[in-house]
Amino acid sequence: MRFTTLASSSSGNCVLLSHGERHILIDAGISSKRISSALSSLGLSLGDIGAVLVTHSHGDHVSGLPAFAERSGARVYATDETLDIIASDMPARCEMELISPGAGFSVPGFEARAFCVPHDAPGSVGFVVTASGRKFVLATDLGIVTPEVLKAAQGADAAVIEANHDAEMLRNGYYPPTIKRRIASGIGHLSNDACGGFAVKLAESGAGTLVLAHLSSGNNTPELALDAVGGALERGGIAAGRDVRLFAAPSFGVGDTYEV
Ligand SMILES: [Zn+2]
Ligand SMILES: [Zn+2]
């Protein structure tokens, strides 16, 4: 199994997962046109995508979904609460599957399971995706790392985890106070430091590859995120680069492809 971030920021999120000739997306928060050109840069086309797993209903995760589902014919998997919000925008002939956190489901080429994340969109989830005995986890858009998130992510071989903001940059930045409070809250976004603690737990449970994602363009930089999480790993006795490979996903454009 391998994965590639096609976009990862507050202005759009989309991750490609591949297993042999099977391909799925997690989220479609960039235009169908951008997804299409990202896929073609990887030698794929819209029709190659069998499914889209949707984390939640915020625009940066679903803005391209209706057009993408229409053009690709991919089946859409989402929780009840998310489907409730997005259904009216979806094309009539789109096949939508209801998923429940904690219950496993199959998509062609993969086994998957959603887990609840604390975020300010109803029914927000992260995903565990497994194939050929390897485990991939995506956990972005979460205010805090709950015991439920940790339990689900435990034992992942590779993970995409949120390092949204540097707490000091957010505090001193230009965002209005209400937005600052929302981002820093328990149902907002994960800070670099909180991500560091999460990364240590994942590395301790065997993760070999961690990709930091959903970096805020106004309140973070890849260097700050990598420094904070790398520092946490080091303090936890884990050597970044040897015990675990640590990367930051580019906000815009296609990232590198990683083996799970
Ligand atoms: Zn988001
Ligand atoms: Zn969100």
Side-chain angles (χ1 to χ4, degrees), residues 64-80:
L65 186 62
F68 179 81
E70 172 95 65
R71 292 176 60 201
S72 67
R75 197 179 276 244
V76 173
Y77 295 74
T79 60
D80 201 4

Side-chain angles (χ1 to χ4, degrees), residues 25-226:
L25 297 182
I26 301 181
D27 291 331
I30 52 175
S31 72
S32 176
K33 207 173 152 190
R34 268 184 70 193
I35 297 173
S36 176
S37 73
L39 290 175
S40 75
S41 76
L42 297 165
L44 298 171
S45 63
L46 292 182
D48 290 319
I49 305 299
V52 185
L53 315 187
V54 182
T55 59
H56 65 298
S57 57
H58 284 160
D60 58 321
H61 298 262
V62 298
S63 64
L65 186 62
F68 179 81
E70 172 95 65
R71 292 176 60 201
S72 67
R75 197 179 276 244
V76 173
Y77 295 74
T79 60
D80 201 4
E81 296 92 332
T82 298
L83 280 182
D84 258 2
I85 297 169
I86 65 171
S88 60
D89 293 327
M90 296 302 291
R93 63 191 179 90
C94 171
E95 292 184 61
M96 292 192 279
E97 295 276 344
L98 186 65
I99 56 171
S100 303
F105 58 97
S106 296
V107 291
F110 306 86
E111 295 297 317
R113 188 160 49 84
F115 55 91
C116 292
V117 293
H119 189 56
D120 58 355
S124 291
V125 293
F127 286 103
V128 173
V129 181
T130 55
S132 298
R134 305 292 287 175
K135 176 172 175 175
F136 168 84
V137 166
L138 179 132
T140 64
D141 298 72
L142 66 171
I144 52 169
V145 178
T146 62
E148 184 180 350
V149 171
L150 266 185
K151 195 172 163 214
Q154 204 81 353
D157 296 294
V160 170
I161 54 176
E162 175 166 49
N164 178 258
H165 57 275
D166 173 79
E168 201 179 315
M169 259 181 104
L170 177 65
R171 242 190 330 270
N172 301 328
Y174 62 89
Y175 282 21
T178 47
I179 306 278
K180 287 183 181 182
R181 275 198 296 276
R182 187 220 144 220
I183 292 171
S185 80
I187 53 168
H189 291 277
L190 216 57
S191 70
N192 291 345
D193 290 340
C195 180
F198 189 19
V200 169
K201 293 270 187 341
L202 288 172
E204 283 173 349
S205 76
T209 303
L210 297 175
V211 176
L212 308 182
H214 212 303
L215 272 65
S216 163
S217 53
N219 301 305
N220 210 357
T221 65
E223 293 72 26
L224 281 172
L226 288 167

